[in-house]
Amino acid sequence: MAKIRPSQGAPYARIMGVGGYRPTRVVPNEVILETIDSSDEWIRSRSGIATRHWASDEETVAMMSIEASGKAIADAGITPEQIGGVIVSTVSHFKQTPAVATEIADRIGAGKPAAFDISAGCAGFGYGLTLAKGMVVEGSAEYVLVIGVERLSDLTDLEDRATAFLFGDGAGAVVVGPSQEPEIGPTVWGSEGDKSNTITQTVPWDDYRNGTPDKFPALTQEGQAVFRWAVFEMAKIAQQALDAAGITSADLDVFIPHQANMRIIDSMVKTLKLPEHVTVARDVETTGNTSAASIPLAMERLLATGQAKSGDTALVIGFGAGLVYAATVVTLP
């Protein structure tokens, strides 16, 4: 029996660079209030959101991804030709096939990398990061581009009082490459499919095609059920990620949770008993919930504003539709 040669990748992987893109149009709560019976005070108190970004026709999933990717590649100090893998997490690329990752890879000049899309909702960045780490360590790619991108304004029912104010658009990207030290910890991830109906699309595409109903599909959720799950169950997952990395909350410099809701973020901070010195990402206030894009966008803003610095130890956790989740500890680029 022939022996297969073992893979020869890097000992470890790390995030080398990060980039983000936010659409130029900023949408305040006042615009949302044109179609729902609510108030700016109610929206802020329930979600912490004051503004969000909505994409124009020109700001497509591919275009936003390319802009974010260019910044991440430059930040990593490599060239596009060195990219051996492109992973895109999105639920709002409406073309079923081919994967938008292939278009992005071509347009950034990456050559012929492995390129594919994944659908893991708001945990999608964590899923992509874990896959990229595996590719680098396994040796199938030296550098992997991970993109989280959404145009959730296309899937928002502006007459739904429970969700109309939540969602925004944008793209975040990171480059994952080789490291001599462990800078991306073990991932704690999973799913609870018995709760999949708590965050879902109103109707499948084929129902809409058949004319039942005649209203375009949108995102819907059971707000209270999602809140309870995120606060209590995801705090446990976050703690498991700290344990897996062999550190405690006192060792953290930064906490970057999925930017779903300010109340969820604040409750997780309290449940995890994070020390006061830990910087907490609260990008949701001005960006809204951008699903797979929220963690890299928040990471990029923290670094750009000096609230976090290169070399900081950060806990990242994404959670959402599925219900799926992914948490890990990383060293910031």
Side-chain angles (χ1 to χ4, degrees):
M1 182 172 62
K3 291 185 178 180
I4 298 174
R5 180 182 298 170
S7 300
Q8 296 181 341
Y12 305 102
R14 66 188 176 104
I15 299 175
M16 299 177 60
V18 60
Y21 180 85
R22 292 172 172 81
T24 55
R25 183 188 178 192
V26 177
V27 179
N29 288 339
E30 285 72 20
V31 171
I32 308 298
L33 297 175
E34 294 174 3
T35 52
I36 61 170
D37 181 18
S38 188
S39 68
D40 177 64
E41 180 184 7
W42 187 89
I43 293 173
R44 288 174 186 257
S45 66
R46 290 303 182 98
S47 68
I49 298 172
T51 61
R52 73 285 292 147
H53 295 256
W54 282 354
S56 65
D57 290 343
E58 292 75 26
E59 291 169 314
T60 63
V61 165
M63 176 270 186
M64 293 190 292
S65 297
I66 290 165
E67 290 294 322
S69 298
K71 295 175 184 177
I73 292 168
D75 193 41
I78 65 170
T79 64
E81 293 83 2
Q82 292 176 276
I83 297 293
V86 178
I87 302 172
V88 178
S89 178
T90 185
V91 299
S92 48
H93 175 57
F94 290 165
K95 198 171 185 178
Q96 193 71 37
T97 192
V100 72
T102 59
E103 177 186 350
I104 294 166
D106 176 65
R107 290 176 61 184
I108 65 173
K112 299 180 180 180
F116 56 95
D117 298 351
I118 59 174
S119 177
C122 304
F125 174 75
Y127 275 52
L129 184 65
T130 303
L131 294 173
K133 172 188 172 183
M135 293 168 70
V136 171
V137 173
E138 188 269 343
S140 61
E142 186 175 13
Y143 302 103
V144 181
L145 181 65
V146 180
I147 304 165
V149 57
E150 301 292 4
R151 273 182 51 126
L152 295 184
S153 58
D154 292 335
L155 285 168
T156 299
D157 180 354
L158 293 178
E159 296 179 349
D160 181 359
R161 189 173 184 272
T163 62
F165 57 88
L166 288 175
F167 303 117
D169 304 336
V174 300
V175 172
V176 176
S179 175
Q180 294 302 309
E181 300 291 335
E183 298 189 39
I184 301 175
T187 300
V188 177
W189 57 353
S191 64
E192 297 185 29
D194 60 317
K195 301 179 181 67
S196 61
N197 286 334
T198 56
I199 305 174
T200 188
Q201 187 171 299
T202 49
V203 295
W205 295 114
D206 53 353
D207 281 5
Y208 179 69
R209 180 188 61 191
N210 295 332
T212 308
D214 57 1
K215 194 171 185 178
F216 193 75
L219 295 174
T220 184
Q221 68 175 29
E222 298 174 15
Q224 287 303 312
V226 172
F227 181 87
R228 289 192 297 270
W229 177 78
V231 170
F232 298 108
E233 297 303 318
M234 291 305 98
K236 297 175 186 176
I237 298 302
Q239 184 60 55
Q240 290 177 30
L242 291 174
D243 295 341
I247 67 172
T248 69
S249 60
D251 299 314
L252 283 178
D253 300 302
V254 184
F255 178 45
I256 311 177
H258 164 49
Q259 302 294 293
N261 180 303
M262 195 75 79
R263 291 171 63 208
I264 291 175
I265 294 171
D266 290 340
S267 295
M268 289 184 70
V269 169
K270 184 177 180 180
T271 302
L272 286 167
K273 299 179 181 177
L274 294 184
E276 290 187 7
H277 75 263
V278 176
T279 298
V280 179
R282 291 188 169 88
D283 194 45
V284 66
E285 180 181 4
T286 55
T287 307
N289 180 344
T290 56
S291 189
S294 77
I295 290 175
L297 279 174
M299 182 184 295
E300 186 251 3
R301 175 162 282 174
L302 289 176
L303 289 166
T305 58
Q307 297 176 72
K309 62 183 184 301
S310 174
D312 278 353
T313 299
L315 169 62
V316 300
I317 179 169
F319 45 86
L323 293 169
V324 297
Y325 54 86
T328 189
V329 174
V330 303
T331 300
L332 295 182

XYZ file of all heavy atoms in Angstrom, residues 15 129 183-185 256 299 311-316 328-333:
135
model
N -3.663 36.252 11.597
C -4.275 37.311 10.802
C -3.193 38.343 10.527
O -2.603 38.901 11.459
C -5.464 37.951 11.533
C -6.556 36.916 11.801
C -6.035 39.101 10.704
C -7.714 37.452 12.615
N -12.645 32.039 8.875
C -11.337 32.166 9.518
C -10.784 30.799 9.889
O -9.589 30.518 9.706
C -11.470 33.045 10.765
C -10.192 33.368 11.531
C -9.258 34.216 10.684
C -10.523 34.099 12.833
N -1.357 32.156 16.757
C -2.017 33.460 16.862
C -3.492 33.409 16.477
O -4.174 34.428 16.477
C -1.265 34.497 16.028
C 0.167 34.710 16.520
C 0.861 35.877 15.852
O 0.210 36.915 15.625
O 2.060 35.751 15.545
N -3.975 32.223 16.138
C -5.410 31.969 15.992
C -5.686 30.720 16.807
O -5.179 29.645 16.503
C -5.836 31.753 14.527
C -5.491 32.968 13.661
C -7.340 31.478 14.449
C -5.787 32.772 12.187
N -6.470 30.870 17.865
C -6.699 29.761 18.778
C -7.671 28.729 18.240
O -8.220 28.877 17.137
N -14.467 41.301 20.583
C -15.147 41.680 19.342
C -16.268 40.679 19.075
O -16.088 39.685 18.357
C -14.186 41.729 18.139
C -12.934 42.548 18.486
C -14.885 42.341 16.925
C -11.899 42.581 17.370
N -13.343 45.045 13.857
C -11.909 44.893 14.082
C -11.131 46.010 13.386
O -10.226 46.624 13.972
C -11.446 43.530 13.562
C -9.980 43.235 13.788
S -9.476 41.651 13.031
C -10.447 40.479 13.990
N -1.019 43.236 17.910
C -0.485 42.378 18.966
C -1.431 42.157 20.118
O -1.174 41.304 20.976
N -2.534 42.900 20.161
C -3.521 42.704 21.223
C -4.161 41.319 21.102
O -4.326 40.782 19.997
C -4.624 43.767 21.153
C -4.221 45.081 21.799
O -3.148 45.140 22.412
O -5.007 46.056 21.680
N -4.542 40.774 22.240
C -5.251 39.497 22.275
C -6.747 39.766 22.296
O -7.249 40.488 23.162
C -4.856 38.685 23.522
O -3.454 38.423 23.484
C -5.610 37.364 23.569
N -7.453 39.190 21.322
C -8.879 39.484 21.172
C -9.702 38.201 21.136
O -9.302 37.208 20.525
C -9.127 40.280 19.894
N -10.849 38.245 21.771
C -11.842 37.184 21.678
C -12.885 37.620 20.661
O -13.466 38.702 20.786
C -12.507 36.951 23.032
C -13.749 36.048 23.058
C -13.414 34.634 22.608
C -14.384 36.041 24.447
N -13.105 36.783 19.626
C -14.125 37.086 18.627
C -15.179 35.983 18.657
O -14.853 34.809 18.807
C -13.528 37.238 17.208
C -12.511 38.364 17.164
C -12.883 35.943 16.734
N -13.373 32.218 18.804
C -11.955 31.916 18.896
C -11.200 33.121 19.456
O -11.717 34.241 19.448
C -11.371 31.512 17.524
O -10.051 31.026 17.686
C -11.350 32.700 16.581
N -9.992 32.869 19.922
C -9.106 33.929 20.405
C -8.037 34.165 19.343
O -7.452 33.209 18.811
C -8.447 33.542 21.738
C -7.419 34.600 22.154
C -9.502 33.377 22.824
N -7.797 35.425 18.984
C -6.817 35.764 17.952
C -5.890 36.874 18.443
O -6.229 37.623 19.369
C -7.501 36.223 16.643
C -8.457 35.160 16.129
C -8.228 37.545 16.834
N -4.742 36.966 17.802
C -3.855 38.095 17.974
C -4.145 39.080 16.851
O -4.150 38.697 15.672
C -2.379 37.666 17.917
O -2.130 36.722 18.955
C -1.459 38.868 18.094
N -4.400 40.332 17.191
C -4.761 41.317 16.169
C -3.558 41.665 15.300
O -2.427 41.716 15.782
C -5.312 42.587 16.818
C -6.638 42.429 17.571
C -7.094 43.785 18.111
C -7.713 41.822 16.677
N -3.805 41.887 13.999
C -2.696 42.178 13.071
C -2.104 43.568 13.307
O -2.771 44.430 13.862
C -3.354 42.095 11.704
C -4.786 42.459 11.954
C -5.109 41.882 13.309
